Amino acid sequence: MKTELLIGALALATAIQVIPFGHNHVNPPVVAEPAWDSPQTQALFNRACADCHSNETVWPWYSHIAPVSWLVVHDVEEGREHFNVSAWGVQKKNEGDDAAEEVEEDEMPPLVYLPTHPEARLTPEEKARLIAGLKATFGSEKHRH
């Protein structure tokens, strides 16, 4: 019984690799970038945020294996849709003014992202610098009204 279950699980794992979703690891061209307030803000952003919020995603090995690939591609597509620094001023929806608040409230980077991307884990000082830099670069809702 255990052998049959194992064989069935391996067959299923192999079969889902051919499902045509999660294999598109294309990075569209960078068409426009924001005027960063400093190179330090840009470096912190690139380290902690750019994989999902730019067209310069680094696709790790596990992003090529279903079903994990499905989740990774979905997260990158959703991240780019809401906030993409590689299409700044070109993309209709670009919620840069929310970026600092998302980091401040520990909503970004997502906890599920950190175990496989330890470089995205910021010290309290780096986090404070990133928040200040995001506010300086993109503004905030408080300053826009």
Side-chain angles (χ1 to χ4, degrees):
M1 182 72 168
K2 283 185 178 181
T3 304
E4 293 160 342
L5 283 174
L6 181 60
I7 290 171
L10 288 172
L12 179 62
T14 302
I16 65 173
Q17 300 310 311
V18 299
I19 295 174
F21 178 77
H23 300 288
N24 184 12
H25 295 106
V26 175
N27 283 336
V30 175
V31 293
E33 292 191 53
W36 294 99
D37 76 308
S38 72
Q40 183 181 46
T41 299
Q42 185 177 12
L44 287 169
F45 180 88
N46 287 343
R47 192 174 115 200
C49 314
D51 271 344
C52 293
H53 296 289
S54 79
N55 292 347
E56 299 179 277
T57 303
V58 175
W59 299 97
W61 65 268
Y62 55 81
S63 70
H64 299 275
I65 301 171
V68 175
S69 61
W70 306 340
L71 300 170
V72 172
V73 167
H74 173 267
D75 287 349
V76 170
E77 287 176 352
E78 187 173 304
R80 287 177 179 169
E81 178 185 326
H82 291 283
F83 178 47
N84 186 347
V85 298
S86 297
W88 197 254
V90 176
Q91 184 173 311
K92 289 181 181 168
K93 184 178 186 184
N94 224 333
E95 300 170 357
D97 54 345
D98 294 334
E101 184 179 337
E102 297 274 334
V103 175
E104 238 170 353
E105 295 176 358
D106 291 323
E107 293 178 24
M108 289 289 154
L111 290 177
V112 70
Y113 180 79
L114 296 173
T116 55
H117 298 86
E119 71 281 1
R121 198 174 303 274
L122 302 175
T123 67
E125 295 79 20
E126 290 171 327
K127 180 179 171 182
R129 285 196 301 263
L130 178 60
I131 291 166
L134 292 172
K135 287 179 180 178
T137 300
F138 303 113
S140 69
E141 285 296 320
K142 293 176 223 161
H143 295 109
R144 290 173 31 159
H145 295 294

